[in-house]
Amino acid sequence: MRKKILAGNWKMNTNISDGLQLFLEVKSAWSQTQSHGMLCIIAPPSTHLAQFSASPELGLHTAGQNCSEHEAGAFTGETSAAMLKSVKADYVILGHSERRALYGEDNTLLKRKVDTAFRHDLIPIYCCGELEHEREAGMQNEVVKRQLEEALFHLNASDFGKVVVAYEPVWAIGTGKTATPVEAQEIHSFIRSRIEDRYNKIVAMNTSILYGGSCNPNNADDLFAKKDVDGGLIGGASLNASDFMQIANSLSKCI
Ligand code: 13P
């Protein structure tokens, strides 16, 4: 079901005490916000999850930043989907460009991770987006289409209907450059139309498609005003409760 979603990807930042303080600040501010069915999803380092108690009844959830494609066993350093579920994560970010670029995750592997997540009742927040040279060559649609087709479009309509898609142009992540609202709308609409082609109009209209890449309190209003932008996956600005809640406020104005 299409919802307005604000997700914070903390990446590899905060120790447990700073992280807990930040989480509690966000939780307290969120619980005082009229959330109107909006969701807030916090993806801290996995070491923190057991101590972060979400409030699903208030639309506040937690997420892993990644999970293994394997169930369990001799995979040193990995975190399984079952482990994330056991510390009450409801979502898992998959396909983040940092995982693709730095850890060699490709669409074939991500398809397996998507399936593993579903086996453990974790909802994927599936990231897609093009590199700078791909955008310069006008290949962004082609790249994103392949990322969707190869890792997500094998799902049946009922499972796909649970997935959250995050469009994150790689050249905008942590760079201070953002897609313009017009660029974001163009590609979000393209993503929605590919979902309609693969599934149907109802599934496409019900999919939440988030924008990520240097989203901050100054640009959130204009990005979220676009009709196919259903929220944000926020990196740097999610590490400051006040900035994050200002972005939440921008999103709440679009309801
Ligand atoms: P920034 O908001 O820091 O650009 O990061 C975006 C991101 O990668 C979220 O997953």
Side-chain angles (χ1 to χ4, degrees):
M1 162 74 173
R2 185 162 168 187
K3 291 211 151 91
K4 299 285 182 194
I5 300 176
L6 186 66
N9 175 9
W10 291 7
K11 309 192 181 185
M12 199 173 73
N13 292 296
T14 73
N15 60 28
I16 188 62
S17 55
D18 307 331
L20 192 53
Q21 188 180 334
L22 174 57
F23 180 75
L24 292 175
E25 279 175 48
V26 170
K27 185 174 177 176
S28 151
W30 183 261
S31 61
Q32 287 159 37
T33 304
Q34 289 293 314
S35 69
H36 302 296
M38 263 168 61
L39 297 184
C40 175
I41 305 172
I42 300 294
S46 59
T47 47
H48 300 13
L49 281 167
Q51 291 191 47
F52 283 18
S53 74
S55 300
E57 69 288 358
L58 298 176
L60 177 67
H61 299 263
T62 55
Q65 296 178 11
N66 176 36
C67 71
S68 171
E69 70 278 23
H70 300 290
E71 289 296 322
F75 301 103
T76 301
E78 291 290 275
T79 303
S80 72
M83 290 168 187
L84 293 177
K85 196 67 199 177
S86 74
V87 287
K88 305 217 161 37
D90 290 318
Y91 293 82
V92 60
I93 298 173
L94 293 175
H96 192 280
S97 66
E98 287 148 20
R99 299 294 317 171
R100 292 178 189 265
L102 303 173
Y103 300 95
E105 296 195 2
D106 61 12
N107 297 332
T108 309
L109 175 70
L110 292 167
K111 177 182 182 191
R112 293 176 62 199
K113 292 193 177 202
V114 164
D115 289 340
T116 307
F118 269 107
R119 276 200 300 282
H120 294 279
D121 202 21
L122 282 175
I123 298 173
I125 301 173
Y126 179 76
C127 303
C128 56
E130 79 288 353
L131 301 167
E132 186 150 40
H133 72 85
E134 292 167 333
R135 160 106 8 203
E136 281 163 1
M139 289 164 58
Q140 63 273 17
N141 289 0
E142 194 182 314
V143 170
V144 165
K145 180 169 178 273
R146 198 171 339 111
Q147 290 169 335
L148 295 170
E149 284 175 354
E150 294 181 359
L152 276 188
F153 280 1
H154 63 290
L155 294 172
N156 62 36
S158 149
D159 280 346
F160 186 88
K162 298 175 191 149
V163 171
V164 176
V165 175
Y167 168 66
E168 298 209 312
V170 182
W171 47 271
I173 295 179
T175 58
K177 291 187 206 170
T178 22
T180 64
V182 170
E183 286 168 336
Q185 169 56 28
E186 269 172 11
I187 197 147
H188 281 230
S189 154
F190 172 77
I191 291 169
R192 205 176 298 288
S193 61
R194 293 292 66 74
I195 298 169
E196 180 173 343
D197 293 345
R198 164 62 183 90
Y199 297 96
N200 57 52
K201 197 173 185 72
I202 295 171
V203 173
M205 292 314 293
N206 279 327
T207 303
S208 297
I209 307 175
L210 314 185
Y211 170 80
S214 299
C215 184
N216 62 44
N218 298 323
N219 56 30
D221 273 354
D222 292 340
L223 285 162
F224 296 162
K226 293 296 177 191
K227 74 180 172 56
D228 287 300
V229 178
D230 301 309
L233 178 53
I234 316 299
S238 69
L239 295 169
N240 178 295
S242 150
D243 286 354
F244 191 63
M245 292 315 297
Q246 280 183 62
I247 299 173
N249 188 42
S250 296
L251 189 58
S252 69
K253 289 191 241 165
C254 304
I255 290 178

